[in-house]
Amino acid sequence: CDTLITNAIGQGFFVDVNPSTTTTYYVRYFNSFCGSWGDCDSITIQVDSIPVISITPSVASYCNDPVPLAASGASTYVWLPGTGLNTSSAANVLASPSTTITYDVIGTDLNGCFDTTQISVNNVIPLIASVTVDSNTSCFGASDGGATVSATLGSGDYSYSWSTGDTTQSISGLAAGSYQVTVSDSVGCQDIVSFSITQPSQIGVIFTSNDPC
């Protein structure tokens, strides 16, 4: 322990400290009447780093289905307000707000340190997709069917993903069977439509004989 009073950060029974890093403080009693020092003692103040909270995804839009939001970086979480959430005290929540909203997410670590971040969930108009079968197959076993998907509402441009692997608005060369197409808009809202291509019945040939023998 230091014996120079001028080096002390404080005097008396109480002292306030606010270290930026983990620091050890020493204290000893000085008897001003006798001009002597008492025993030395110490205390270490541990400074823990503040947790960094992040939300995935960083941009979210609510269309038809609840939007999954995941917080990370801490041990416990509180979402405020709880409006439109399936829970307000978990790392993973589902958001389905009736209007565009910003959530404050408070994350606390095991040391009691906390941090706050925000995530906005946009309430957007969902897109509506429909499929027109341009043509069914012309013959049994043929692969000349075709279909076109159309979309309304939503936001921005549309993109298409067919179960055949095609990404155009119209497809052809389809055999009889069941298919599916997913239409997405610029904010990630989707609509999935299923449809079928049919085919004529198979032609049967019956052979007859007029030979009397």
Side-chain angles (χ1 to χ4, degrees):
C1 284
D2 199 337
T3 57
L4 294 177
I5 295 180
T6 55
N7 292 338
I9 63 170
Q11 299 182 39
F13 291 100
F14 304 97
V15 61
D16 292 325
V17 295
N18 187 26
S20 58
T21 60
T22 297
T23 303
T24 299
Y25 296 93
Y26 297 90
V27 59
R28 71 188 312 177
Y29 172 71
F30 178 70
N31 189 328
S32 59
F33 295 101
C34 301
S36 61
W37 291 94
D39 293 334
C40 179
D41 201 355
S42 66
I43 184 172
T44 298
I45 305 297
Q46 179 175 315
V47 178
D48 299 306
S49 58
I50 296 175
V52 178
I53 310 304
S54 60
I55 307 296
T56 304
S58 58
V59 178
S61 296
Y62 169 59
C63 313
N64 299 310
D65 300 320
V67 182
L69 303 174
S72 59
S75 298
T76 61
Y77 304 90
V78 175
W79 301 70
L80 298 173
T83 306
L85 298 177
N86 66 322
T87 179
S88 60
S89 58
N92 299 299
V93 301
L94 295 174
S96 51
S98 58
T99 60
T100 295
I101 191 171
T102 298
Y103 294 105
D104 290 313
V105 185
I106 306 170
T108 304
D109 65 14
L110 295 175
N111 297 312
C113 298
F114 65 91
D115 187 28
T116 302
T117 190
Q118 291 183 328
I119 176 70
S120 293
V121 178
N122 299 311
N123 183 290
V124 298
I125 299 174
L127 65 89
I128 300 174
S130 61
V131 170
T132 299
V133 175
D134 299 324
S135 60
N136 291 302
T137 61
S138 58
C139 298
F140 183 86
S143 297
D144 56 359
T148 298
V149 63
S150 301
T152 57
L153 304 178
S155 303
D157 298 328
Y158 304 122
S159 61
Y160 313 96
S161 177
W162 300 81
S163 53
T164 58
D166 294 286
T167 57
T168 54
Q169 187 173 3
S170 297
I171 59 173
S172 58
L174 300 178
S178 299
Y179 299 90
Q180 199 174 70
V181 59
T182 301
V183 182
S184 305
D185 65 12
S186 60
V187 298
C189 293
Q190 296 181 336
D191 193 14
I192 301 175
V193 182
S194 299
F195 66 99
S196 297
I197 297 293
T198 62
Q199 62 183 351
S201 300
Q202 187 174 12
I203 297 176
V205 178
I206 300 176
F207 292 96
T208 60
S209 174
N210 293 324
D211 188 353
C213 301

